[in-house]
Amino acid sequence: PLPWVARVMPVDTNIVIASLAGERTAQEGLERLEQVGIRAVPFGAQDIRLVTHLDFDDTQLEQSIKALKQIQW
């Protein structure tokens, strides 16, 4: 688990929606993600939406997890 994420909605497709913990805003989250090379879009005041591509593979997944864990907030 990431300390800055309050919850992740159930995933049925290639779309992941995460709610940020505390008073963190979606815009702040997008800025943090951009710093580690991940792009996302706001999905509410504290929610962010991430989408993977059809060709997203296990290596890219591991790289993304590593990048997410680098975020200190």
Side-chain angles (χ1 to χ4, degrees):
L2 301 168
W4 46 272
V5 175
R7 68 182 175 89
V8 176
M9 294 178 71
V11 178
D12 293 322
T13 63
N14 62 326
I15 299 170
V16 177
I17 299 173
S19 297
L20 302 179
E23 299 296 318
R24 295 168 174 92
T25 68
Q27 186 58 43
E28 291 170 327
L30 297 178
E31 291 168 6
R32 300 283 176 139
L33 290 168
E34 186 73 29
Q35 290 173 356
V36 296
I38 297 176
R39 290 188 175 172
V41 295
F43 199 73
Q46 286 189 279
D47 297 336
I48 54 175
R49 180 177 181 257
L50 301 108
V51 179
T52 61
H53 185 271
L54 174 66
D55 297 322
F56 189 78
D57 62 24
D58 289 343
T59 300
Q60 291 166 312
L61 175 61
E62 292 302 320
Q63 291 170 341
S64 298
I65 291 169
K66 184 176 178 180
L68 291 169
K69 288 180 177 181
Q70 290 176 355
I71 296 174
Q72 299 296 314
W73 196 352

